[in-house]
């Protein structure tokens, strides 16, 4: 069976160094997958390959909703269906919060200013930022910026949302507000692939947890299994190190 | 002999004034046309240099290096006096504008490139992830941010273009300098030259001051935003 997101024999090399060493992964529609693993294990590289921000080695294949993620016309379709949230927010600093959210619907979908504005207002209300719509990203806290970034990605009504350590750049007191938004989102049936170090979130929200190390998927399964009773010694070492922090 | 009668002779100045104003008008037209054309060319070159296929990138790089190396006066004389031998005769204005544009385009290209390269990679990635095309990414995300960075150096370059318009007087362009030298010959008095020099300074000083102010402000730590 192949998933809504299906990854086959995915390899990614930087020169002689292999960051991904053969990944096979299927994510079902509506599934929430959390990816954990030590720094440098290839988590970011993996999810950046899914919308091809990172080109990958020939021989590997990624499909989103059946469409192969290859350069060209199809890629635009895939990118419109796949939303991404970055560790460093990457909001557009020269646009107001509202215009950040409106930009892609207007340009990519050709929505009118009124339609895109109404959509932005709805999404900003949903992530709890409605009052800040006229401000610029630089005037917001980190947690608020990340919630705007989530609203901006949602504005394209994506089928899949990718998160690359969305709370790692935040002050601790702001982590909760972003995780709350993500938790709400998970309940709406959006397929989510989340790279995170928030084990509590993974335990609570994930349908499946994937542990990566050295460019491979080492272990995967339901959160209670992978986080509660890991089989692989490397998973145990990693969880031990994280939980003792 | 009175210094004032020689260098600041008001009678001579009064008679030369209309000519100088005519010259100034030509200088400003030539300067403005060359600045605008140079900006368009520079942006196109910067795009080719950054994002074109390999041969375009190489050509853009060669162009930029060549036209930053060639002395403007040499280029101008080649265009005006040498091209007619291959059947291409340009008017003094067209020759001067071509030379100024070609050189200004090369400098502008490097300024645009530096400005674009100063925009964090995450801005390109966020745009791509949203499904924006390369062109949309440039026009809606990257260039509006890069503009803030490139305005001071581009203004500087524009000042240089206006100054360099004076070279056009060697191909018989009736610009400010040419009018001044003619008026000087006519009156047998150098006052019009002094007048022309003062007019150049009066026109460009405010721009120079503006650039200094912008650079001071940018230097003051606005870089992060
Ligand atoms: N642009 C790059 N050039 C060379 N090596 C890279 C590059 N990007 C990532 N890597 C390497 O690939 C490996 C996986 O990186 P990454 O996917 O960012 O890991 P993670 O997100 O799990 O911390 C790391 O060893 C990293 O050093
Ligand atoms: Mg990472």
């Amino acid at each position: 069976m192949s998933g809504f997101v299906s990854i086959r024999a995915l390899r990614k090399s930087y020169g002689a160094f292999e960051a991904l060493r053969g990944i096979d992964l299927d994510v079902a529609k509506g599934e929430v997958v959390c990816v954990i693993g030590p720094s440098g294990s290839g988590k970011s590289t993996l999810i950046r390959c899914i919308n091809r921000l990172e080109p990958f080695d020939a021989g590997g294949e990624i499909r989103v909703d059946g469409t192969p993620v290859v350069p060209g016309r199809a890629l635009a379709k895939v990118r419109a269906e796949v939303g991404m949230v970055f560790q460093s927010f990457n909001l557009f600093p020269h646009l107001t919060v509202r215009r950040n959210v409106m930009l892609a619907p207007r340009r990519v979908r050709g929505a009118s200013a009124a339609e895109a504005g109404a959509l932005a207002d709805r999404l900003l209300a949903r992530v709890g930022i409605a009052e800040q719509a006229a401000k610029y990203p630089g005037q917001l806290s980190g947690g608020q910026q990340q919630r705007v970034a989530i609203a901006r990605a949602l504005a394209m009504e994506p089928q899949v949302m990718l998160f690359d350590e969305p709370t790692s750049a935040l002050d601790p007191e702001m982590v909760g507000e972003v995780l709350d938004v993500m938790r709400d989102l998970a309940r709406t049936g959006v397929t989510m692939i989340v790279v995170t170090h928030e084990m509590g979130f993974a335990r609570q929200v994930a349908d499946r947890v994937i542990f990566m190390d050295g460019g491979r998927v080492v272990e995967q399964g339901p959160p209670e299994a992978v986080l509660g009773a890991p089989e692989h010694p490397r998973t145990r070492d990693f969880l031990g190190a994280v939980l003792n922090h | 002999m009175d210094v004032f009668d020689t260098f600041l002779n008001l009678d001579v100045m009064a008679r030369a004034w209309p000519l100088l104003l005519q010259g100034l008008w030509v200088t400003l037209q030539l300067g403005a046309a060359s600045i605008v054309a140079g900006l368009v060319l520079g942006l196109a070159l910067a795009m080719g240099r950054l994002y074109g296929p390999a041969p375009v990138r190489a050509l853009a790089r060669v162009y930029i290096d060549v036209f930053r190396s060639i002395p403007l006066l040499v280029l101008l004389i080649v265009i005006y006096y040498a091209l007619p031998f291959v059947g291409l005769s340009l008017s003094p204005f067209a020759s001067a504008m071509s030379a100024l544009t070609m050189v200004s385009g090369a400098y502008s290209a490097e300024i645009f490139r530096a400005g674009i390269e100063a925009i964090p990679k995450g801005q390109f990635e966020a745009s791509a992830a949203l499904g924006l095309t390369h062109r949309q990414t440039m026009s809606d995300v990257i260039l509006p941010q890069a503009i803030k960075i490139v305005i001071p150096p581009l203004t500087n370059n524009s000042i240089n273009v206006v100054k360099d318009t004076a070279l056009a007087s060697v191909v018989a362009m009736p610009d400010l300098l040419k009018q001044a030298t003619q008026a000087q010959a006519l009156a047998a008095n150098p006052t019009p030259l002094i007048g022309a020099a003062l007019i150049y300074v009066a026109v460009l000083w405010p721009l120079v001051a503006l650039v200094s102010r912008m650079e001071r402000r940018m230097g003051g730590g606005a870089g992060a935003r």
Side-chain angles (χ1 to χ4, degrees):
Chain A
M1 191 206 83
S2 87
F4 191 68
V5 176
S6 109
I7 299 173
R8 290 285 172 274
L10 176 64
R11 287 173 181 278
K12 166 74 188 178
S13 316
Y14 293 107
F17 175 76
E18 268 200 301
L20 297 177
R21 301 165 180 238
I23 305 262
D24 292 279
L25 183 65
D26 286 290
V27 179
K29 200 170 168 73
E31 193 181 10
V32 177
V33 173
C34 284
V35 182
I36 62 172
S39 170
S41 57
K43 307 180 298 294
S44 296
T45 307
L46 169 64
I47 68 166
R48 289 161 58 82
C49 285
I50 294 174
N51 59 359
R52 218 181 166 98
L53 283 188
E54 216 65 78
F56 42 87
D57 300 355
E61 187 191 57
I62 300 181
R63 285 171 184 267
V64 175
D65 197 7
T67 310
V69 183
V70 292
R73 229 162 233 293
L75 186 57
K77 182 172 170 279
V78 167
R79 283 179 171 169
E81 269 192 48
V82 178
M84 187 159 199
V85 175
F86 302 85
Q87 180 175 340
S88 50
F89 327 139
N90 296 343
L91 291 177
F92 304 133
H94 62 298
L95 299 178
T96 63
V97 162
R98 192 163 185 265
R99 290 199 174 275
N100 263 273
V101 181
M102 288 170 66
L103 181 66
R106 292 216 64 189
R107 290 289 180 268
V108 181
R109 285 265 180 65
S112 70
E115 285 166 348
L119 176 65
D121 292 339
R122 206 158 64 237
L123 289 169
L124 288 171
R126 179 163 155 198
V127 300
I129 305 279
E131 336 73 71
Q132 321 282 1
K135 290 194 180 162
Y136 286 87
Q139 299 170 283
L140 303 189
S141 73
Q144 291 172 325
Q145 289 191 52
Q146 194 60 298
R147 286 186 278 151
V148 173
I150 293 172
R152 180 178 68 176
L154 290 177
M156 287 301 288
E157 289 162 349
Q159 302 283 325
V160 183
M161 283 284 283
L162 309 174
F163 293 84
D164 191 2
E165 300 198 26
T167 58
S168 295
L170 299 178
D171 294 335
E173 71 271 18
M174 293 170 186
V175 169
E177 65 193 58
V178 171
L179 293 181
D180 284 344
V181 168
M182 291 170 63
R183 202 171 285 124
D184 286 345
L185 189 60
R187 281 197 274 268
T188 65
V190 176
T191 310
M192 289 169 61
I193 303 176
V194 184
V195 175
T196 186
H197 292 298
E198 297 293 331
M199 296 305 154
F201 176 83
R203 196 182 293 271
Q204 219 186 354
V205 179
D207 297 306
R208 183 161 39 135
V209 172
I210 290 178
F211 173 70
M212 283 183 71
D213 194 20
R216 291 196 177 87
V217 173
V218 173
E219 183 167 354
Q220 59 175 310
E224 20 337 328
V226 176
L227 301 176
E231 283 175 9
H232 204 285
R234 276 191 290 180
T235 318
R236 279 199 290 266
D237 288 350
F238 172 73
L239 289 172
V242 171
L243 297 177
N244 290 334
H245 246 58
Chain B
M1 187 194 80
D2 190 326
V3 173
F4 280 96
D5 277 348
T6 309
F7 291 108
L8 282 173
N9 188 312
L10 292 183
D11 279 348
V12 174
M13 187 61 117
R15 263 177 286 131
W17 190 245
L19 282 181
L20 293 187
L21 283 188
Q22 272 176 35
L24 174 62
W25 177 234
V26 172
T27 288
L28 291 179
Q29 280 179 307
L30 178 61
S34 306
I35 288 167
V36 171
L39 287 175
V40 173
L41 176 63
L43 186 57
L45 282 168
M47 290 297 145
R49 168 94 161 71
L50 283 170
Y51 306 115
V56 173
R57 283 208 304 273
L59 277 177
R61 176 185 298 222
V62 169
Y63 177 98
I64 290 166
D65 288 352
V66 165
F67 283 90
R68 288 197 304 163
S69 310
I70 193 166
L72 183 58
L73 183 55
V74 173
L75 178 62
L76 177 59
I77 285 179
V78 166
I79 290 174
Y80 189 71
Y81 292 105
L83 286 188
F85 285 92
V86 294
L88 188 60
S89 300
L90 297 179
S91 69
F93 188 94
S95 302
M97 183 179 156
S98 305
L100 287 165
T101 299
M102 285 189 245
V103 170
S104 169
Y107 282 99
S108 306
E110 284 300 272
I111 294 171
F112 278 120
R113 182 170 71 91
I116 290 167
E117 285 180 340
I119 305 301
K121 207 167 121 251
Q123 295 288 304
F124 291 88
E125 294 185 342
S127 307
L130 285 168
L132 297 180
T133 63
H134 180 76
R135 180 179 284 261
Q136 291 166 335
T137 301
M138 279 297 140
S139 68
D140 293 342
V141 177
I142 305 304
L143 291 179
Q145 296 182 64
I147 282 296
K148 291 194 192 122
I149 303 170
V150 300
I151 277 185
L154 282 182
T155 310
N156 237 337
N157 185 55
S158 301
I159 292 169
N160 286 333
V161 171
V162 175
K163 287 201 279 193
D164 288 343
T165 56
L167 290 173
S169 56
V170 305
V171 295
M173 256 288 285
D175 74 326
L176 178 53
L177 179 59
K178 185 75 184 171
Q179 296 287 18
T181 52
Q182 274 174 351
Q184 176 224 355
L186 219 62
N189 180 295
T191 299
L193 288 179
I194 306 295
L198 292 176
I199 291 174
Y200 278 114
V201 172
V203 168
L204 291 175
W205 190 340
L207 284 177
V208 170
L210 182 70
V211 172
S212 305
R213 233 181 56 204
M214 288 191 292
E215 279 170 348
R216 260 202 317 276
R217 253 207 345 244
M218 299 282 261
R225 279 218 42 197

